Amino acid sequence: MTAVTDPLTLPCGVSVKNRLVKGAMSEALGTRDHAPRPELPALYARWAEGGTAVLLTGNVMVDARALGEPGNVVLEDERHLAEFHSWAVQGQRDGAQAWVQLNHPGKQAPRGLNAGGTVAPSALPFSGGMARAFETPRELTVTEIHELSARFARSARLAQQAGFSGVQLHAAHGYLMSQFLSPRHNVRTDEYGGSLDNRMRFLLETFSAVRAAVGPRFPVGVKLNSSDFMRGGFSEEDSLRVVQALGERGCDLIELSGGTYEKPMMMLGQGERGGFFADFSRRARAVAGVPVCVTGGFRDAATIRSAVANGTADLVGLGRPLVADPAFSRQVLSGKDASSDVHPLRTGIRPLDRSSYLEIAWYEDAMRRLARGESVKAGETPLLALARISAEMGLGAVLRRRRA
């Protein structure tokens, strides 16, 4: 029976020291020219010292012309390699690994954020209220698709050069790779649209380009939706086929999540216990042939240990619990009956409580506190966090923010 404390050797031959992963959370700690701010190395040092085996960064974008939200960090050339190197070094304290999550938002970028507009597999707008927040994208040409694969590969090579120990391609949560996979957002009639084989072509070609850029001994993972949870979207059956295809190509770690901005199931983990995508993870692990990580809804040590022991997943991803307590992993690993004090935030102001802004502000403010060496005050009113983040970034930037 596998224990959460057991090391795991990835297909590339690299070993991770235990079965716990810090899931990606968008930190909004990029400078005006998109370099990592000094808070990022300090923040990741705390998480590394907390015992977690693999630390996944928040979104690092592969193109400065295609930001997903204010405060994004971008890795597209060598200008900020010194800052990235500091981040990598601090994130690998105590034997932890630090992996860069590489991303492109496609059309899932707030209106007006990118001067040149947005791009996507097809020129389809979002529906309903989202159409007001996100503009109609321009359809990518085949040449541009090839160029984007090359961008991901270049960014991965730069991450390796900066000293990070792996990369993850973000193909979940409705961003560009996820848009290619979904028949709701991809209605192309060429080799990148139509059948699932065609819709997964961009992801698989990009994975191959990244692998060629970093070599066979450098970990390359993929974050994938179990489903979009939308009628006519990317289904669980689709996801299982993509999982199998990634496994056949030697993906080092497939992290499973679900949802998009339209249907933010990844946000529901805050109110669930036991792993929101755990049932699908068991099915995926049966066909993957490579390690599978499931993230979302894990809040107590017993459930985390059980997920690894009973074969739900090879690794368990933790997000909010590691913001509430960066040493939570160490408690789990030590055998303690630990439980994370993570709960939905409420102010009594109904429109605010039903929006995502409160959660966004609270966790971003909490990550800044951790970076300063402070502890997180779980009982503090979330309105104070919202006020502090709004004062730092501007209310407009906060309203454009999303987590995941």
Side-chain angles (χ1 to χ4, degrees), residues 13 17 125 171 180 252 294 306 331 334:
K17 66 179 183 177
F180 268 94
D252 288 296
V294 63
S306 176
Q331 297 181 51
S334 68

Side-chain angles (χ1 to χ4, degrees), residues 237-305:
E237 289 68 30
D238 289 343
S239 186
L240 289 173
R241 283 186 56 193
V242 176
V243 165
Q244 186 171 9
L246 288 168
E248 290 169 353
R249 284 158 178 78
C251 182
D252 288 296
L253 180 63
I254 301 172
E255 182 190 7
L256 298 172
S257 186
T260 67
Y261 285 13
E262 295 174 283
K263 194 78 170 180
M265 303 301 289
M266 61 282 192
M267 295 291 290
L268 298 184
Q270 62 176 303
E272 299 284 337
R273 286 183 180 270
F276 195 69
F277 307 103
D279 289 341
F280 179 79
S281 177
R282 295 185 188 93
R283 297 172 61 197
R285 191 167 179 258
V287 301
V290 298
V292 168
C293 173
V294 63
T295 301
F298 290 95
R299 300 290 181 257
D300 64 88
T303 305
I304 294 166
R305 296 187 197 111

Side-chain angles (χ1 to χ4, degrees), residues 168 218 235-236:
Q168 181 190 68
F218 189 75
S235 68
E236 288 191 353

